[in-house]
Amino acid sequence: MEQAVVQVNEILWGSILIFLLMGTGIFYTFKLRFIQIRKFGQGIRRVTSGFSFHGKDADHNGMSSFQALATAVAAQVGTGNLAGAATAIASGGAGAIFWMWLSAFFGMATIYAEATLGQIYKTKVNGAITGGPAYYIQAIFKHSFFSRLLAYFFSISCILALGFMGNAVQANSIASAFEIAFHINPMIVGIVVAILSGLIFFGGTKRIASVTEKVVPLMAGMYIIICIVILILNYQNFFPALQSIFVEAFTGRAAMGGALGITVQKAMRYGVARGLFSNEAGMGSTPHAHAIAKVNTPVEQGDVAIITVFIDTFVVLTATAMVILTSGLAFKGKTGIELTQAAFEMRLGQFGTVFIAIALFFFALSTIIGWYFFGEANIKYLFHEKGNSVAIYRILVMCMIVFGSMQKVGLVWELADMLNGFMVLPNLIALLLMSSLVKATSDRYEKRELQK
């Protein structure tokens, strides 16, 4: 099975999705006149002005803009920033980080469009606000059979990719880290994570928003501080490591011939694939959170969405990558969370291994919450909360968490990549066909702001 999935991923991620994702980001970057640069400061101001821990804004009418950002970042900052960065470096070399950065830069324009469209097409199901790509995908051709088919395909892919297999990936990484650090049986870890997650799932949108707005800032802040301490200790290797990112992005580690091209291709493949898995720009996941933010205009949440990619890739993921590269352990047979833990342990001793296990627990748990929420939005789209559809979904996600904790990391990651790829295709079709609406909405808002 793993071999078959790997072959599918080689087709999807070898060229098709790399060009589509990068192409869409480049397209929106120019169409919106480098909006990720022009609106970056505005996005920062919106994020900082809405910062809070009180958890009182979430209800059937949605959640605050900051809570939506926290829920989106909760989903983005997970194993992709710890285990995923290590996997990309081990498989594609230091150059993979460059391709992560590049895809993230263009992805900031893509995610702006996603959040804006999510806001435009948000709706109410049984009196509660919901939204996401399925709603703007079905509007491509005015609710025709084809657009509804694409929307259903997206929803099913999202539920499988994030709610089920994606959360199995998160549980897998937590279980692996705890087995290394504390020698705890992975199944026991999976059961504990499933129970904790279930307590949050069954609390609904209000509890999800309350948890993410508290956990995300604290866990990210603590993690960055520890990374900075290690980088200071590894200061002699900092600039050589930084140089290797740019050099290996275009030359690889091989000296000449066919191996050179394969190495550079791997850097691109793993850089963009792990970059997407981390920042999720273009994947169609985070619009579910941005869609229900309580803002005055869709563009305001688009500005906030830009910052989520910056936090995820240029701050958290880069910090992990630099710790690994400055450790000198990047190519010594380790991969995934083992490599990340080894890099932290090199300077911090056993505390480094324990810290990564604990950090990964909170990172991955928050991602499980975010991805569960995104899947739930699509359950509502498909079933309109008829019967016990949401309750059944919650129980199935908890089962997948336990299942994922006991699986081999290779198969779990490859399945997640494949299903993520299936999600991307209908979402990008909608983004490209609705680019004029995004631009018109953005231009109208900017013109009104200039007239004030």
Side-chain angles (χ1 to χ4, degrees):
M1 180 180 177
E2 184 172 354
Q3 186 177 1
V5 175
V6 168
Q7 290 176 344
V8 172
N9 284 337
E10 287 299 326
I11 296 172
L12 277 174
W13 292 106
S15 57
I16 297 173
L17 290 181
I18 286 178
F19 288 119
L20 283 176
L21 284 165
M22 294 288 280
T24 301
I26 293 169
F27 171 74
Y28 265 108
T29 294
F30 283 95
K31 191 173 186 69
L32 300 176
R33 295 174 288 118
F34 286 83
I35 197 151
Q36 63 268 62
I37 296 175
R38 294 191 299 108
K39 302 297 287 291
F40 185 81
Q42 183 66 27
I44 291 291
R45 286 190 289 273
R46 291 193 190 284
V47 171
T48 53
S49 64
F51 184 87
S52 71
F53 287 112
H54 55 69
K56 297 179 180 178
D57 293 326
D59 54 30
H60 65 282
N61 289 318
M63 57 179 72
S64 71
S65 180
F66 179 76
Q67 288 171 332
L69 171 133
T71 303
V73 172
Q76 291 165 298
V77 178
T79 58
N81 297 83
L82 280 73
T87 301
I89 292 171
S91 302
I97 304 304
F98 172 84
W99 297 108
M100 281 185 171
W101 289 342
L102 192 64
S103 64
F105 174 77
F106 292 119
M108 290 165 80
T110 305
I111 209 165
Y112 171 90
E114 288 181 295
T116 301
L117 286 173
Q119 276 284 321
I120 292 173
Y121 287 99
K122 64 184 178 182
T123 187
K124 277 195 173 185
V125 174
N126 289 343
I129 289 290
T130 187
Y135 295 95
Y136 60 70
I137 290 171
Q138 75 171 15
I140 298 174
F141 301 114
K142 298 181 179 179
H143 300 263
S144 68
F145 172 78
F146 178 68
S147 58
R148 282 189 176 275
L149 185 65
L150 280 179
Y152 291 149
F153 179 78
F154 173 86
S155 286
I156 294 169
S157 298
C158 182
I159 292 166
L160 294 175
L162 302 184
F164 295 156
M165 193 51 60
N167 281 335
V169 167
Q170 303 300 322
N172 183 280
S173 292
I174 293 175
S176 296
F178 270 67
E179 186 176 24
I180 294 169
F182 307 112
H183 308 292
I184 301 176
N185 188 309
M187 185 175 71
I188 295 175
V189 176
I191 292 172
V192 171
V193 173
I195 293 172
L196 288 174
S197 300
L199 291 173
I200 298 168
F201 297 164
F202 283 92
T205 301
K206 188 175 181 65
R207 188 172 298 170
I208 289 171
S210 178
V211 170
T212 57
E213 73 173 356
K214 296 176 179 64
V215 171
V216 170
L218 292 175
M219 72 177 186
M222 182 62 69
Y223 183 75
I224 293 301
I225 290 171
I226 297 296
C227 285
I228 290 173
V229 170
I230 295 176
L231 291 176
I232 291 173
L233 295 173
N234 293 344
Y235 73 96
Q236 290 181 322
N237 297 331
F238 183 85
F239 288 106
L242 194 62
Q243 183 183 32
S244 70
I245 292 174
F246 292 96
V247 172
E248 292 185 20
F250 300 99
T251 65
R253 296 196 307 272
M256 61 179 65
L260 174 62
I262 293 172
T263 303
V264 173
Q265 184 184 32
K266 281 188 175 181
M268 292 180 65
R269 181 256 196 259
Y270 284 97
V272 175
R274 289 289 171 256
L276 170 67
F277 191 84
S278 180
N279 66 55
E280 303 183 26
M283 196 166 74
S285 53
T286 59
H288 298 98
H290 295 302
I292 67 171
K294 298 175 184 178
V295 290
N296 296 321
T297 67
V299 169
E300 292 178 24
Q301 196 60 26
D303 295 345
V304 170
I306 290 173
I307 307 306
T308 65
V309 175
F310 178 81
I311 293 171
D312 172 86
T313 303
F314 291 101
V315 179
V316 182
L317 187 145
T318 299
T320 303
M322 291 304 294
V323 167
I324 293 170
L325 291 173
T326 58
S327 71
L329 295 171
F331 312 118
K332 291 188 177 180
K334 294 182 182 293
T335 188
I337 198 63
E338 290 182 55
L339 175 55
T340 306
Q341 284 181 307
F344 275 74
E345 186 177 5
M346 185 176 178
R347 279 297 183 184
L348 303 179
Q350 184 61 23
F351 171 77
T353 301
V354 172
F355 172 75
I356 285 297
I358 295 172
L360 186 66
F361 173 80
F362 285 105
F363 275 45
L365 180 64
S366 68
T367 299
I368 287 171
I369 296 167
W371 282 357
Y372 157 80
F373 178 73
F374 300 160
E376 183 189 273
N378 287 282
I379 290 291
K380 291 179 180 178
Y381 173 78
L382 292 173
F383 302 105
H384 305 286
E385 290 195 87
K386 291 180 181 178
N388 298 315
S389 57
V390 173
I392 293 171
Y393 168 69
R394 288 168 177 167
I395 293 170
L396 288 175
V397 172
M398 292 171 67
C399 291
M400 285 302 296
I401 289 170
V402 178
F403 168 78
S405 67
M406 299 182 290
Q407 299 307 302
K408 290 184 178 180
V409 66
L411 176 60
V412 175
W413 275 100
E414 292 292 345
L415 279 170
D417 272 353
M418 182 181 73
L419 292 167
N420 286 341
F422 290 162
M423 275 180 62
V424 169
L425 294 171
N427 185 55
L428 290 187
I429 290 172
L431 288 175
L432 292 171
L433 292 177
M434 291 187 159
S435 61
S436 295
L437 174 60
V438 174
K439 179 172 172 54
T441 303
S442 184
D443 289 347
R444 188 163 54 248
Y445 175 81
E446 290 184 34
K447 183 178 180 180
R448 188 165 64 245
E449 287 297 297
L450 287 173
Q451 292 175 344
K452 286 184 178 179

